[in-house]
Amino acid sequence: MRRALIAANWKMHLGRRDDALRFVRRIRHSVGQIEGAEVVLCPPFTVLPELGEVLRRSAIALGAQNMHWSESGAFTGEIGPSMLSGLCRYVILGHSERRATGSADESDEAINRKVHSALGAGLVPIVCLGETRTQREGGETDAVLRRQVSAALAGLDGAEVGHCVLAYEPIWAIGSGRPATPVEANRTISLSLRGFLAHRFGEAVAREPRVLYGGSVDAGNIEAFMGMPEIDGALVGGASLDPGFVELVRRAAGTRRTAD
Ligand code: PEP
């Protein structure tokens, strides 16, 4: 059984030391007591070291929101894999806000290089994939997702694929308050992501990676997503920034246990 995972993408919020510490101190005890779901907080780089200290004996893990593929070099403003591997266990890669649809114009090829480097540094990549509204309305969702996942995982072996986390994040659902329906998200993950993995790597490998859904998940809808067989958790943006996140995690863990 794949272990449920709730990953909090703080984006460019709570990046000041005092704000981040206040928030984490407020939720860590309650979240740490919840069994049945792994929780990862992905704050801005600026507070990773401090949160690492505060969460040292906690079950809550940390992740970064991005990473360069190179270890070092003339890459102004970038952070390399081994700079992160002592600070966190996960790294979000290829978020739509960093792809061509977002602000950083990241290519599929760059994301693939990052995935390789992250695995090489012992980090677990959370690889984001998703279609725009126009692509969805044009019936291109399956083709877009297959292209993205194929490019992101190119050159990996089955064991490495199993180690990755995939996050299906339809771009039109992110921050919109209008999530995909759980049935639709489950169908897309099954067809376009696990279907692709089965075709490329075989059925056994296709069952290995955890696949999250992301896009306007909150405490009110998490149970419906967690009740779906292909959805192993959620990547949560806005709803991870307030104390209601504790309830979201509690409900996610509760649903998953029932489903077991
Ligand atoms: C995200 O940006 O990864 C995300 C899922 O955001 P939100 O939950 O706010 O839609």
Side-chain angles (χ1 to χ4, degrees), residues 9 11 95 97 169 173-176 214-217 235-239:
N9 178 11
K11 310 192 185 192
H95 192 281
E97 288 158 13
E169 297 212 302
I174 294 178
S176 67
S216 298
V217 171
L235 182 53
V236 185

Side-chain angles (χ1 to χ4, degrees), residues 6-28 31 39-52 54-55 60-66 92 95 97 126 169 234-243 245-246 249:
I6 301 295
N9 178 11
W10 286 7
K11 310 192 185 192
M12 208 168 73
H13 299 287
L14 298 179
R16 281 191 298 242
R17 181 182 175 278
D18 291 354
D19 297 338
L21 288 177
R22 192 178 313 114
F23 180 74
V24 166
R25 287 193 175 118
R26 201 163 160 194
I27 65 162
R28 80 179 152 175
V31 170
V39 176
V40 183
L41 304 181
C42 304
F45 292 127
T46 45
V47 292
L48 273 174
E50 245 120 5
L51 293 191
V54 173
L55 295 172
I60 301 173
L62 285 173
Q65 297 175 19
N66 178 39
I92 297 173
H95 192 281
E97 288 158 13
I126 300 176
E169 297 212 302
L235 182 53
V236 185
S240 70
L241 295 168
D242 75 63
F245 182 63
V246 177
V249 174

Side-chain angles (χ1 to χ4, degrees), residues 52-170:
E53 286 298 313
V54 173
L55 295 172
R56 199 203 298 259
R57 271 176 228 89
S58 159
I60 301 173
L62 285 173
Q65 297 175 19
N66 178 39
M67 184 198 85
H68 196 274
W69 60 79
S70 290
E71 272 307 329
S72 61
F75 300 109
T76 303
E78 297 285 357
I79 307 263
S82 63
M83 299 178 199
L84 291 177
S85 56
L87 295 174
C88 60
R89 180 166 154 64
Y90 289 85
V91 58
I92 297 173
L93 297 176
H95 192 281
S96 57
E97 288 158 13
R98 299 197 53 84
R99 287 182 183 259
T101 43
S103 59
D105 211 13
E106 259 181 31
S107 65
D108 283 334
E109 194 214 345
I111 293 159
N112 176 247
R113 293 175 81 164
K114 292 180 180 202
V115 170
H116 280 268
S117 295
L119 289 168
L123 294 160
V124 179
I126 300 176
V127 184
C128 299
L129 313 147
E131 81 285 4
T132 63
R133 180 174 296 285
T134 310
Q135 289 166 335
R136 177 182 190 237
E137 288 170 357
E140 295 170 50
T141 301
D142 182 57
V144 168
L145 288 176
R146 282 173 186 259
R147 192 200 71 232
Q148 289 179 346
V149 70
S150 168
L153 305 185
L156 299 188
D157 63 27
E160 289 170 322
V161 170
H163 204 58
C164 292
V165 175
L166 304 181
Y168 170 51
E169 297 212 302

